[in-house]
Amino acid sequence: CYQSLACVSCFQKDCLKTSRNKCMAILPEGFLCTDCMSTRKRRIPSILTCRAKDHHRPPLFEVEKLLRSHLKVLDSKLLAKLKPTFNLTSLNLRPSKAAPISRKPRSKSTFNPAASVPVFDTNLGALELSHDKIILKEPKDDCVYIFQQLRFGSYDGLCFYDSGADGNLIRGDFAEKVGFKTLDPNNQRISGISNMVTWTNYGVYCGAVGPDSCGNFWELAFQGIENLTSSFPRYDWSSLNTEARVSCPLDSDVLPPSIGGQPADVLLGFKIPALVPKLEFSLPSGIGLYRCPF
């Protein structure tokens, strides 16, 4: 709008000719930036043309409704490509002002070292007596996530399958190095647990990966980010591969000799069911053997 001299409120060029100070179009409620409405008296930008990074933006499904209500005709394919980005990008959160560094705040948790561990029947909600129940303890071993070593051109990338994500991430410098297409070069803001907001320092990328078991390639959008994870330990699979060959009908399947030893380069969320790794076997040692999509 700013480059084409169109109205930042209704997107129409004729609006500027009709009125220089204020948009005269009838717009759906919520289409204009509410923060700008409280600070500006002249032409108020819409939720899409507001340049203030700390102003509130609604989630994608609300933006889609408002755009369809105002524009009537909207390319649904464009919105489909933006959905992974909107799921990851925290457009509906305002960054909180960082509090000055001070002493550690007091915890709100109560503490009684003599208290026994409660046993809840989660069907009835009742408390059970622990002495007449079999109580299993969580294991103390390392948690082995689902990884896969992928090849991008002449580079190897560690792919981390994350069941808690519905979008895809990629290390920005890795995306630039292997030649992913840039969909949006602008720095993005994402949120995580407890609505912690961070800037990614990279834009949105796109690349097709495959082939899957049917020979197809999948064009996926990836949010670029400075760092995905810390470095994972390196696991030697030689003994587990021997166990798998003895106990499972693997035929000529290729098994990785090791995995890890570096941070993840790519994170794939569980948005597309066809790209979710499938559990093939559970080894006698308790390790799950998964078949990855690529």
Side-chain angles (χ1 to χ4, degrees):
C1 288
Y2 295 94
Q3 294 180 356
S4 60
L5 300 179
C7 176
V8 295
S9 301
C10 66
F11 313 149
Q12 299 179 26
K13 290 186 177 182
D14 294 339
C15 184
L16 295 176
K17 299 177 182 179
T18 306
S19 173
R20 296 182 59 87
N21 296 326
K22 184 178 181 181
C23 177
M24 305 304 293
I26 301 176
L27 300 172
E29 183 178 355
F31 194 78
L32 299 180
C33 175
T34 54
D35 292 304
C36 290
M37 293 176 66
S38 61
T39 57
R40 297 178 57 167
K41 295 182 179 180
R42 300 183 67 180
R43 195 175 302 271
I44 300 170
S46 70
I47 52 176
L48 295 178
T49 54
C50 173
R51 292 180 169 182
K53 295 180 179 179
D54 59 337
H55 282 191
H56 171 78
R57 275 133 173 115
L60 179 61
F61 71 92
E62 291 186 14
V63 174
E64 181 178 356
K65 289 181 180 179
L66 291 170
L67 285 174
R68 292 189 185 281
S69 175
H70 175 52
L71 300 177
K72 308 303 179 185
V73 178
L74 187 64
D75 186 0
S76 59
K77 294 182 180 180
L78 175 62
L79 288 168
K81 290 183 178 180
L82 289 175
K83 283 182 181 178
T85 306
F86 270 80
N87 288 337
L88 289 168
T89 305
S90 175
L91 294 179
N92 60 333
L93 296 174
R94 304 181 191 185
S96 58
K97 294 182 179 180
I101 299 176
S102 59
R103 64 180 181 178
K104 182 179 178 180
R106 187 175 181 178
S107 173
K108 298 180 181 180
S109 299
T110 58
F111 178 63
N112 179 9
S116 58
V117 178
V119 180
F120 293 97
D121 184 327
T122 55
N123 292 318
L124 302 176
L127 282 169
E128 300 285 342
L129 297 176
S130 59
H131 59 78
D132 62 346
K133 302 295 180 183
I134 298 176
I135 307 297
L136 305 177
K137 303 284 187 177
E138 60 179 309
K140 302 296 183 181
D141 303 318
D142 289 351
C143 180
V144 180
Y145 301 98
I146 303 177
F147 294 105
Q148 185 181 13
Q149 200 75 27
L150 301 177
R151 189 77 169 168
F152 298 91
S154 58
Y155 299 97
D156 288 327
L158 182 62
C159 179
F160 173 35
Y161 291 90
D162 187 359
S163 60
D166 62 354
N168 310 311
L169 297 172
I170 190 170
R171 281 198 306 109
D173 59 345
F174 185 77
E176 295 283 345
K177 181 170 61 176
V178 303
F180 271 58
K181 179 181 178 179
T182 303
L183 293 179
D184 183 356
N186 294 310
N187 191 2
Q188 306 289 326
R189 186 179 61 178
I190 63 175
S191 65
I193 298 175
S194 300
N195 289 336
M196 295 178 62
V197 178
T198 183
W199 289 100
T200 63
N201 296 331
Y202 287 93
V204 182
Y205 296 89
C206 179
V209 292
D212 60 12
S213 58
C214 299
N216 300 320
F217 286 77
W218 292 79
E219 182 179 313
L220 304 174
F222 295 83
Q223 171 62 60
I225 192 169
E226 192 82 43
N227 294 299
L228 275 176
T229 65
S230 58
S231 183
F232 291 100
R234 187 174 188 83
Y235 294 95
D236 185 355
W237 285 158
S238 55
S239 60
L240 289 173
N241 289 344
T242 301
E243 180 185 358
R245 296 287 184 194
V246 171
S247 57
C248 305
L250 295 175
D251 299 327
S252 60
D253 289 289
V254 178
L255 299 178
S258 62
I259 201 71
Q262 65 175 80
D265 298 304
V266 177
L267 182 148
L268 286 179
F270 282 17
K271 179 185 178 183
I272 304 175
L275 301 185
V276 176
K278 304 296 191 298
L279 178 64
E280 294 279 321
F281 309 102
S282 292
L283 303 181
S285 60
I287 297 292
L289 186 61
Y290 287 79
R291 185 177 298 277
C292 292
F294 309 118

